[in-house]
Amino acid sequence: MITNQLSSASPNYGPHDLQSSEMLALSHYNSSAPLLLPHVANDSGGRVEVRAPVEGLSHHENLTFEEPTAGGAFIVILSMTLGIISNIVALIILVNAYSLQRRRSKATFLLFATSLVITDSIGHVIPGALVLRLYLSGAARPQYVNSSDGMCQFLGGSMVFFGLCPLFMGCAMAAERCLGVTKPLLHSSLVTKRRAKICLSVIWLAALSLALLPCFQLGSYTYQEPGTWCFIKVLSDTKEVDVAFVVLFSGLGLTSLAVALVCNTISGLTLVFARLRRQPGSHHSAKSHDIEMVVQLVGIMVTSCICWSPLLIFGLMSVIHSYTRTIGHSLSYYETLMVMGVRLATWNQILDPWVYILLRRTVLRKIYLIAKCQAGLRGTILGRWEPSSFPSSEKNDVDQV
């Protein structure tokens, strides 16, 4: 209809006149409204067609954010409070155990564990405070879609840094324990406190370097639905560098989880086989501190897999869908996946401290006694796992002397 009206309104205009009219019409539009600018073209018959970029406009409208509610701010405050209390309790337990520990292998493990809890604490407070500020200020406005400011850059970098650090540390701790259980002599000659501190420094530096890549135009951070958090651009207008950034982030995270799974499986099977081969009345071949540390590492690994795997996988799914523009689920579907993934990821820093609080030697001994009484395991093969499997490490040192 637009074509017919324009044709009937200017029946005596030639192609040259139409081109001049087109240029004059275009001059009335400024560059600040590119999405609303119609495209005017004339065909060989002297008719003018006006086509509006509906696809881009509709895509832009799909990215508008919902207004955050007061309940969301309350959940953020509750989560921060619970995370701070949990990490403080776990930190007190670990620092006390580290100060009393004389066994070098156990001290190295406690050094890693203490560093992990401290990193989790900081990573829970800083991003949580920024998210709370966004909630209280009403979240990012729709005009900030596909854009970023200083606070968004810092929040996105914090998400990447404090997300990778626990995964890298869990992987390093699992590898250290696997070496200590399978090759104790090699472990004693290679692993020292100094080298453990160097390893921690390398982990922090590697995570920081990856988080700072957008500062060198290698990827970008943008506001995410519902405008209260920032992360790597994965939902719209993604480029090759964004895809590479997400692949690097998710790939390193998933690889760390896979390596930790392999190392913890080897350590656990080694301890189980050593316990099953032990004859009644013989000296314990599997040390109590090894059992305790492997159990805690398994707890950390399971927690990290449950909390971080969804965000790592959903990020890959979203960026691949956005970059390839494949026909499938709607944009809101991937927005929902990303929100679900980040909410699960925040629980990792809350649950990690409880691994050290609940899976201690004294707690494990009580759990074993309760399970043994309830299941009637006396006299069975499981009876080889005596409560003495969890004595204090200091007592074992005195007995060996």
Side-chain angles (χ1 to χ4, degrees):
M1 181 175 293
I2 295 177
T3 303
N4 295 334
Q5 291 176 353
L6 288 174
S7 299
S8 60
S10 56
N12 298 322
Y13 287 176
H16 177 73
D17 295 329
L18 289 173
Q19 291 177 0
S20 301
S21 300
E22 177 184 347
M23 296 177 61
L24 181 61
L26 290 176
S27 64
H28 290 288
Y29 291 90
N30 55 47
S31 59
S32 62
L35 291 176
L36 300 179
L37 181 64
H39 177 70
V40 184
N42 63 294
D43 57 11
S44 59
R47 293 181 302 174
V48 178
E49 295 183 358
V50 180
R51 297 191 298 270
V54 179
E55 294 83 358
L57 181 59
S58 62
H59 182 67
H60 179 76
E61 289 176 350
N62 287 336
L63 283 173
T64 56
F65 298 143
E66 297 178 359
E67 189 74 17
T69 60
F74 175 76
I75 293 176
V76 173
I77 296 174
L78 181 63
S79 173
M80 289 182 61
T81 304
L82 181 60
I84 292 173
I85 295 175
S86 302
N87 281 282
I88 289 177
V89 173
L91 187 61
I92 293 174
I93 293 174
L94 289 171
V95 170
N96 182 61
Y98 183 80
S99 62
L100 298 176
Q101 187 55 241
R102 296 181 179 87
R103 188 185 295 271
R104 189 173 68 178
S105 61
K106 178 69 174 179
T108 303
F109 176 84
L110 290 175
L111 177 62
F112 275 108
T114 304
S115 302
L116 176 59
V117 171
I118 294 175
T119 304
D120 278 342
S121 302
I122 301 175
H124 195 70
V125 172
I126 294 179
L130 296 177
V131 170
L132 181 60
R133 179 183 176 183
L134 285 173
Y135 264 104
L136 296 178
S137 62
R141 299 293 90 195
Q143 59 266 27
Y144 293 123
V145 177
N146 295 328
S147 64
S148 178
D149 53 17
M151 187 175 70
C152 182
Q153 292 287 333
F154 184 75
L155 178 56
S158 299
M159 294 283 293
V160 172
F161 175 78
F162 292 111
L164 287 177
C165 280
L167 299 179
F168 288 167
M169 289 183 184
C171 178
M173 293 167 67
E176 185 268 338
R177 270 301 82 210
C178 182
L179 182 63
V181 171
T182 57
K183 303 291 183 181
L185 295 180
L186 181 62
H187 176 273
S188 61
S189 61
L190 290 180
V191 180
T192 61
K193 289 184 180 180
R194 180 175 177 273
R195 291 177 178 174
K197 293 177 181 178
I198 293 176
C199 181
L200 287 171
S201 301
V202 171
I203 288 174
W204 286 323
L205 183 61
L208 181 62
S209 300
L210 189 66
L212 292 178
L213 286 180
C215 296
F216 303 96
Q217 305 302 319
L218 300 176
S220 58
Y221 299 118
T222 57
Y223 285 102
Q224 306 287 329
E225 173 72 22
T228 55
W229 63 292
C230 290
F231 196 59
I232 306 171
K233 181 187 289 187
V234 296
L235 293 175
S236 63
D237 298 335
T238 52
K239 302 177 182 178
E240 290 82 358
V241 290
D242 298 315
V243 177
F245 192 17
V246 176
V247 170
L248 183 60
F249 172 75
S250 298
L252 290 174
L254 293 174
T255 301
S256 300
L257 291 175
V259 173
L261 175 62
V262 173
C263 292
N264 288 331
T265 301
I266 294 174
S267 301
L269 292 177
T270 302
L271 290 175
V272 170
F273 291 152
R275 179 64 61 178
L276 294 178
R277 287 195 301 265
R278 182 179 63 84
Q279 298 299 325
S282 63
H283 181 70
H284 291 180
S285 58
K287 305 300 183 187
S288 61
H289 69 282
D290 288 329
I291 299 173
E292 180 188 32
M293 287 186 288
V294 170
V295 169
Q296 290 179 345
L297 284 176
V298 171
I300 295 173
M301 180 193 66
V302 172
T303 302
S304 298
C305 287
I306 295 175
C307 295
W308 271 104
S309 294
L311 182 61
L312 298 174
I313 296 174
F314 294 161
L316 284 174
M317 292 172 54
S318 300
V319 76
I320 291 174
H321 173 268
S322 174
Y323 181 72
T324 59
R325 294 177 174 84
T326 55
I327 300 176
H329 297 285
S330 62
L331 181 63
S332 60
Y333 173 78
Y334 291 97
E335 289 176 349
T336 303
L337 289 182
M338 292 300 295
V339 172
M340 183 187 307
V342 75
R343 287 176 178 173
L344 284 173
T346 56
W347 277 97
N348 181 78
Q349 296 160 333
I350 299 175
L351 297 178
D352 263 352
W354 288 98
V355 172
Y356 306 107
I357 296 173
L358 297 179
L359 298 184
R360 290 177 293 156
R361 186 178 294 110
T362 55
V363 178
L364 292 174
R365 182 165 58 242
K366 291 179 181 178
I367 293 175
Y368 170 80
L369 291 174
I370 294 174
K372 187 174 181 179
C373 294
Q374 294 293 329
L377 298 179
R378 295 182 182 276
T380 65
I381 190 172
L382 294 177
R384 295 180 182 178
W385 294 86
E386 299 293 340
S388 57
S389 298
F390 306 104
S392 64
S393 298
E394 289 79 4
K395 182 179 180 181
N396 281 344
D397 296 338
V398 174
D399 292 340
Q400 291 178 5
V401 176

